[in-house]
């Protein structure tokens, strides 16, 4: 860890004062209240050692990052059949586009664009007795952390301004690829996206993707090794909307970003790292977050390539 | 190697008689003359040990696989400036589509779709004195193999039926992203695609992407470590047209396919493997080739994820 | 009229037994209950003479044909400002496509595709005190016909299966081009589409577009002459989804079709003609309806071209 | 005519000094040499009376307007079979887009976008012995005017900068919808577009579309009445690229514009009118030309609607 610590501290100091050309998005009103100066990093190794700098311990809205955990639970419950309803191809288009969905007859390109995550939500609504409660409990067990919670404020904020997501969900339903009531699916989806975590918590909860032998504190296996590898493959090719290629190219790790400015990245066999900085680049990913991770994998020579 | 040998032989025997649902493409007339029953595999480890089964020693038209070597030389000559003219994002569309090129104003999504490889060809034409000869010499040095050659027959066959590529090149030129004469660029491009190699040769020539310390027999470094890693990242996200996600998901290695039925895949730090079987699935990738590699990385647990 | 009568009767007899290659659509459940054998025609001249054959006096769901009357009222109330919110260009795409709407940032291509008619509905909801009642009264005055009514059954049937229209309306609202509550706008829209008329009634109500001097029985002018001409121009270029060019080419009159199998066509200065036959061609327009009108304008040499 | 004369003179004076927000296009180098201040109008009635103001007698490059005459000759030679190779639907997209062509598998949406006119050129190359000479003779007979000529300068200027048209032609050929050699088809196409006429000549040559009884000075019928009406229908729906709806809406006549700033419009049964002003609006149509025609049909109440 000592090696990582020094590198993380160095890069943190380098980047902290870099001029941030990103912008805080304004389409989820509640998110604009967060100070754009927050900047934190936390790494957790597969031996559970953890180290953070800056605002690593402050909670933020992880937004789309939680699509990882929704997909994990749905994959676990539904198995390989899930790929009949959502594909695993990069979208090559802005994250909320309706274009490709029409060409593909209602089957989203991958589970990490909004369309795909809404279908994943629908699958979970079909499987879970109390979707919101059960999903939260799943996340809590995954990270052995009872302090994980939804932000009702954020969930409501998305609901009243989420016309595109309502459009998406109805559009997919018109192709028959949403089985439950649109309102219920979206209420669940907006709650998933409202999960709050700190960088520390985020780097801990995703550890199951870095460690082949991971079991929860209750002794449960989360995914099979093959399933976990496949999750990482999808994260690598689809985790950053239409900047996935760029992230693979510059950082070289599977990962996922959220509109709240968080990014989590996974090195299979070694570690999980989370970065948070609210200003986003034009593609919707944290500007400083990507910069940090690029420098980090370069200096630690820990890209998977 | 012993472990790999046994697994390769086993999978070879399993798949040889599998019903091949793929089809030999007919749009390059000369390619249809190849027997669809050819099936060969060859692995080369970074210590240069090599092992092959089936038609591993028979030459075939590697087609788009040679885009790797064209990009490598262009990257070496042009450096990072190359990314101003071609992007590194998956295309999310069939490999010869003109759609995205229009939206992106003549900058191809990545160097492995035809549009991108044509721009790479244009860059090489600008740099090289005798493009065809110089590129061939580069490939020969890369693999210490004087037996590498173009197939004039194939090159001519593509030229007289390549209306889409002529269209592509003129279209990109209309945006100013082709600097040389269209005919010269395309003549070079068609020759690049006509390179012939056996699985053995292919698994040897791509070894520089698997081995951080690779030098040619003349003692030359091909790419910097960082450049090689970035090449692998692009191969992972873009090497299989709009089936790149699927290949990453099922196989989990950077790789590149060609319409001649060849696939090369790279495990950074371990090996390079080439497979050849001419029948292609609907996405244009070798059906048995993908099947073989999926089983191989699963049984050897050597996906990069 | 005598000349028209004979020609109409002749064509009616010719086409009645033609093999109908069209299909009754099944996406509005209630519409599939209508017998596909219905076939009626009615012409009304600007001197109010009227003549019909077949099922000319039987009510049917005029569906999208009522978009004419909604646009007329909105144009009357809003004036030329209406074109800031909806364009007058043919769409070149299937009628319920979301593609172009995204490219055009929420401004529908024209008022006769669903997206455009939903924006027109929103404009009416803003202007009218009791939208459903007021619109119905407007139609009744237009045709001096108190027997015009919505079909609640049809309106409900569309509402519970209209996921694409719900998607459309939310999507447009995400661009800010819907001002009222989505549910209210759609409820109004579904009612407009559920209007029922016979061919006779339809050819009478649209007469204001054929007659420059038209006034309602109460003595009210509906549109200015210039506005009426512009309505006809939009009908000519946009009235038949992506078959508008074909209709202009074969029939040569402004007109509008509906998914219920009705078509109304207008000859400025001469007449208004309505045809009804429920089976639709692949582009969603009445197969026999188009055939009838093509023969009719050819034999009467009354295309506007 | 007296009535028309006064109105034309009045509008000419009104518009001459209007601030022209249009721009002279720069993608055909030779066209930029024309003074943007040229402004001329000429009307020819079906009784052959002719009247012009401003630069009505000065030749200019009619560019796409000549697509009318190419289509006329191809329609005459090929008959209705021509519609198997080119459709009659508005394109809904910029005039040189490749998008729709891909979706429609190489069948252009209509004969007035570049793609369609190139297919029409190919049809003429198949029919004519000496395409360039024969087409010129056809135009000369059509207008009883031996002074019609190509501009070799313009034709060459387009050839060396026409990468998009070369792309289009090769792209269509890849679908099998070009039968002749690409170079020959394009050489012919570039010549067609280089025809030069004055407003006077243009309003005379298109008279066959206004007059049902038109015969050439040699006594030849050009098209059947039904064919001429269909030509007008296509002009109305497709003559102004993606501004066709707007032209129908504002002017209400079939017509065709060219990138040289010319517009010809036809009133079936009454007249043919040509306007020339080189500055184009954002959709590529003459700004003052459209303005003039809108005022003209409004004041003469001679829209076809």
């Amino acid at each position: 860890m000592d090696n990582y610590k020094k590198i993380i501290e160095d890069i943190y100091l380098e980047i902290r004062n870099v001029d941030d050309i990103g912008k805080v998005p304004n389409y989820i009103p509640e998110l604009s209240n967060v100070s754009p100066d927050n900047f934190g990093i936390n790494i957790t190794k597969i031996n559970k050692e953890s180290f953070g700098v800056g605002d690593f311990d402050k909670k933020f809205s992880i937004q789309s990052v939680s699509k990882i955990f929704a997909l994990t639970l749905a994959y676990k419950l539904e198995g390989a059949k899930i790929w009949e309803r959502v594909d695993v191809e990069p979208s090559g288009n802005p994250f909320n586009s309706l274009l490709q969905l029409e060409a593909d007859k209602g089957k989203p390109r991958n589970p990490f664009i909004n369309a795909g995550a809404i279908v994943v939500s629908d699958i979970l609504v079909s499987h879970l007795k109390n979707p919101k409660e059960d999903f939260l409990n799943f996340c809590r067990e995954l990270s052995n952390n009872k302090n994980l919670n939804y932000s009702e404020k954020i969930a409501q904020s998305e609901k009243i301004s989420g016309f595109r997501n309502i459009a998406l969900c109805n559009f997919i339903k018109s192709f028959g690829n949403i089985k439950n009531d649109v309102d219920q699916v979206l209420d669940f989806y907006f709650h998933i996206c409202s999960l709050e975590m700190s960088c520390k918590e985020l780097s801990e909860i995703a550890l199951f993707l870095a460690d082949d032998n991971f079991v929860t504190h209750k002794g449960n296996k989360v995914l099979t090794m093959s399933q976990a590898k496949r999750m990482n493959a999808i994260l690598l090719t689809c985790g950053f909307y239409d900047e996935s290629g760029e992230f693979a190219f510059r950082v070289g790790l599977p990962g996922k970003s959220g509109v709240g400015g968080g990014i989590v990245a996974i090195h299979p066999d070694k570690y999980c790292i989370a970065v948070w900085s609210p200003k986003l680049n034009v593609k919707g990913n944290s500007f400083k977050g990507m910069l940090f991770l690029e420098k980090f994998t370069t200096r630690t020579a820990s890209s998977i390539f």
Side-chain angles (χ1 to χ4, degrees), chain A residues 16-298:
Chain A
R16 201 177 39 172
N17 298 316
V18 159
D19 193 28
D20 195 333
I21 59 170
K23 280 190 187 159
V24 175
N26 55 11
Y27 60 87
I28 302 175
E30 200 58 39
L31 283 184
S32 357
N33 299 334
V34 176
S35 161
D37 297 329
N38 283 293
F39 184 33
I41 299 108
N42 200 90
I43 191 168
T44 304
K45 290 172 66 181
I46 61 175
N47 66 5
K48 308 277 158 98
E49 277 185 271
S50 179
F51 173 71
V53 295
D55 303 305
F56 73 96
D57 213 13
K58 212 160 155 180
K59 294 214 184 226
F60 60 93
S61 187
I62 66 167
Q63 292 290 320
S64 293
V65 179
S66 65
K67 290 172 183 170
I68 301 178
F69 316 115
L71 177 61
T72 299
L73 183 53
Y75 197 6
K76 190 181 176 65
L77 293 169
E78 185 93 358
K81 268 196 310 167
I82 194 175
W83 312 120
E84 293 167 16
R85 294 184 55 192
V86 59
D87 208 338
V88 295
E89 291 301 329
S91 67
N93 259 325
F95 63 100
N96 43 13
S97 169
L98 294 161
L99 295 180
Q100 234 153 3
L101 206 49
E102 179 147 41
D104 294 342
K105 312 239 157 113
K107 183 177 182 179
R109 293 295 306 240
N110 66 65
F112 294 137
I113 51 173
N114 287 12
I118 288 170
V119 169
V120 167
S121 299
D122 181 60
I123 291 170
L124 287 175
V125 167
S126 294
H127 278 283
L128 303 175
K129 204 160 182 180
N130 303 300
K132 287 189 272 189
E133 201 182 319
D134 295 351
F135 175 71
L136 192 56
N137 285 334
F138 171 72
C139 291
R140 287 172 174 176
E141 188 192 342
L142 209 52
S143 57
N144 191 20
N145 181 342
K146 296 197 170 143
N147 290 320
L148 300 187
N149 283 295
Y150 301 125
S151 158
E152 279 300 330
K153 243 186 176 170
I154 293 282
Q156 292 313 316
S157 185
E158 296 203 45
K159 193 177 273 185
I160 59 173
S161 61
F163 300 112
R164 281 210 154 207
N165 285 318
I166 303 175
L168 265 180
C169 193
N170 277 286
F171 190 51
I172 301 170
K173 193 167 177 82
S174 78
F175 290 103
N177 199 16
I178 292 289
K179 310 300 181 186
N180 299 285
D181 180 65
V182 164
D183 288 341
Q184 195 190 359
V185 172
L186 285 173
D187 178 62
F188 181 50
Y189 173 72
F190 290 136
H191 275 84
I192 289 177
C193 293
S194 80
L195 265 185
E196 295 186 317
M197 297 192 201
S198 65
C199 288
K200 187 164 187 301
E201 290 169 328
L202 192 49
S203 71
E204 287 166 356
I205 193 177
L207 213 58
F208 72 99
L209 290 171
D211 181 2
D212 283 350
N213 303 307
F214 185 90
V215 289
T216 67
H217 66 107
K218 292 186 180 167
N220 296 323
K221 189 90 190 143
V222 184
L223 294 173
T224 67
M225 191 179 81
S226 161
Q227 284 176 324
K229 283 181 187 301
R230 284 164 196 250
M231 287 286 298
N232 282 334
I234 310 174
L235 285 167
L236 196 292
T237 53
C238 314
F240 292 80
Y241 311 121
D242 59 340
E243 198 173 41
S244 297
E246 185 79 9
F247 191 81
F249 179 82
R250 284 169 48 190
V251 177
L253 294 179
K256 183 80 203 75
S257 67
V259 76
I263 299 179
V264 66
I266 293 119
H267 188 296
D269 292 332
K270 290 194 177 155
Y271 61 77
C272 188
I273 188 165
V275 188
W276 175 43
S277 166
K279 288 190 177 175
L280 311 183
N281 66 20
V282 287
K283 299 291 182 76
N285 301 309
S286 171
F287 171 74
K288 287 197 173 174
M290 283 191 66
L291 197 57
F292 181 92
L293 291 170
E294 180 179 8
K295 287 174 184 279
F296 180 74
T297 56
T298 303

